[in-house]
Amino acid sequence: MLLTGESDSLSSIGLVREARHLVDANVPMLCLVPRNQFDDVSALRQGANDDFIVKPSSFSELFSILRLFLSNFPGPMPPLEREWGGYRFMMSSNTVEFGGKRVQLRPDEFDLAVELFSNEGCTLGRDLLWTAVWAKAWDGKSRMLDTCVSVLRRALKLPANGWELRAVWGSGYRLDGSSSSQMPAMAPYWSPSPT
């Protein structure tokens, strides 16, 4: 189970307690908490399968942490690379390969690209994208999301490769490509052993 802490220690502690109440104690739990809550929340560790860490600052950092955490349990590991319609995303390095080129993206650009490609054909609202990439709500004024979208269009040469990343008025952004590029559903990384 992966949990993300709340905005204050008391709420995070309540979240962890509720999760432990609902889920079997043998289910491994990784809880990501803000640095200022770490001491308070990590005191709730109940077993060898639980771990608490400070929230990572990027998707690639989170991906590396999850791989390390999951290596302690039987079952398949998340892939180091993901591919969508000719674009190969190297999860551990914020790098994208396509058409014989390799492009290094900033962590926020990479995280945004993964979010958009993972949800191909769906309109994603600004608030959702802000929360997914920058872990905070959109303030309604910042143009950082629009700037990152522009960088992705250019750096990944989306239109030239048959992809359209467009703004959806009053909502957010939508990435469309060929339907054959959609990634198949992934199997769960961990499942409890039969009792």
Side-chain angles (χ1 to χ4, degrees), residues 124-192:
L124 302 177
R126 287 179 171 275
D127 286 335
L128 183 142
L129 291 169
W130 265 92
T131 301
V133 176
W134 291 281
K136 59 184 177 181
W138 180 49
D139 64 9
K141 297 176 185 174
S142 176
R143 303 295 294 167
M144 196 177 328
L145 175 59
D146 305 303
T147 301
C148 279
V149 164
S150 180
V151 167
L152 292 178
R153 281 187 190 120
R154 236 182 0 264
L156 300 181
K157 303 192 183 317
L158 294 173
N161 289 302
W163 291 84
E164 181 184 14
L165 176 52
R166 61 186 174 89
V168 177
W169 191 85
S171 184
Y173 285 95
R174 178 183 176 109
L175 178 67
D176 289 306
S178 66
S179 61
S180 64
S181 67
Q182 290 197 9
M183 190 178 72
M186 295 184 64
Y189 299 133
W190 182 88
S191 60

Side-chain angles (χ1 to χ4, degrees), residues 43-55:
L44 297 174
R45 183 173 293 137
Q46 290 186 358
N49 289 340
D50 292 351
D51 206 355
F52 294 81
I53 62 168
V54 174
K55 282 184 180 179

